[in-house]
Amino acid sequence: MEGLRSQMSSIFREKQRCTEPPDEQYKYSVLEIFRGTNEAVEVNTKKISHRALVSELKKSVSHSPGGDTEMPFLQLLRIRCNQDYGFIIGSENFGDIFSLYGIDPIFLYLYTDGNRRGYYHVRRPDGDNIEGVESSLFHSAGMVLFWSYYPKSRKTFAIACNYSLKTSFLDPYDKLVEILGGMKEAFEYPWYLHLASITERSMWLEQYVDWIGAKILYIEKRISQNDGVSPQNTLTLPELTGVSDWIHIVGARLVTALGQADLTIDLLNAEAFSSCDDDREFGGIDMDLNSSRVQQAKQLAALFRVQIATRKDDISRYQKLVGNQASAIFGLINLNIAESTRKDSASMRIIAVMTMLFLPGTFFATLFAVPSLKWDEDPVITNRFWVYFAFTIPSTLFILGLYEGLDKKLAYRKRFSLLYEGMKKHYEDNFKRADPSQWQEDLP
């Protein structure tokens, strides 16, 4: 198993998912939550340069605040990502921190292989500690969160890597830190980061679905403004195309929202929130710590289940609305194209009529100007006038015959193409898929 974990780490390094910081002054943000000397929960944020990052984190891991190594303690390291989803940290430093925190290296493979999103959990022994170490990975749309929890000492070590995405929504890490500070009294519980991540995703989903709803109303308003009668209430083709683009964007965002809702439900279904009898245990949580906090966590989890289920219903309803809007806008685009085609046809008819009006005059003007007609002499028509008809009539017949031949050739080519495709499909259905072992038995 250790060899497999080592292989997972090497795959992560080979994929070059880590990039060196841009300059020597680059610093990392570290959040720490612990109980102070007066038993009050303290929250501390500090900045550490990339050169001293590993050494400073080693001091925090081996000596928690207060000098007592058995004190509950939580440490969260923030690592930013570049546009290629690479961690802005040296690969050696990242590997050392991952090992220092005791996070299972298999999560590096899960993150690297296809950038999988979801929730994953592993429990493995930790030396003589039979309770082992709880390792978790939560990969959402805006952030990937690795963490380990030591049940015996109630310590949590986490790495949050958030993407640098251009969006109007609140940064997932900033929201997560705000939530962690709001529920800091429960930092020593194993479900602390679970519940904080669920809260952050639920709030993000609320804002995201509301944004989608506003865009759907905007699209509905634009479509309803198009009556197709008065020019001022008729959308042009570029405007219809713009509305169609918004429909595609909203459809893609709905898929993202549905995925995040399912992801949050997966986190709610984690072991930390497994359904148990109220008077026994709650997903392995020590009930002697503080039963009221456990009950509060259970109630919050139940509320989030209802909220996520409601939001999923909203997403399904929005998907149906977007499907109807897509059909409506597609019909309007076709009507616009048909109207443009009708106008073009009318213009072509006008050009054809004007051409027919001037064609006789043009023809006779050209004919009367040929040298074979001597208007100042008698007779007017010379004996060489037949040359005009000798070239005109054969050329006209040749052009008509060439057009007819090309037209028939294209028609025959289309027929032969359809015949070939039919024969090919018949061959594949009846011969190519047959079992070769039966062919010998059919021979006489």
Side-chain angles (χ1 to χ4, degrees), residues 416-429:
F416 279 118
S417 177
L418 293 175
L419 180 61
Y420 172 76
E421 292 296 332
M423 294 177 63
K424 181 179 178 182
K425 186 176 185 303
H426 177 75
Y427 167 77
E428 292 178 349
D429 293 341

Side-chain angles (χ1 to χ4, degrees), residues 9-10 16 50 52 67 126 129 132 137 153 179 214 226 253 260 263 271 299 301 303 309 326 332 355 366 424 433:
S9 300
S10 63
Q16 298 181 351
H50 74 278
D126 181 32
N129 184 3
L137 164 64
S153 58
I179 295 169
N226 190 86
R253 295 291 177 89
Q260 292 301 297
L263 181 59
E271 184 182 359
Q299 293 172 3
L303 289 174
L332 291 175
T355 302
T366 305
K424 181 179 178 182
R433 297 180 184 177

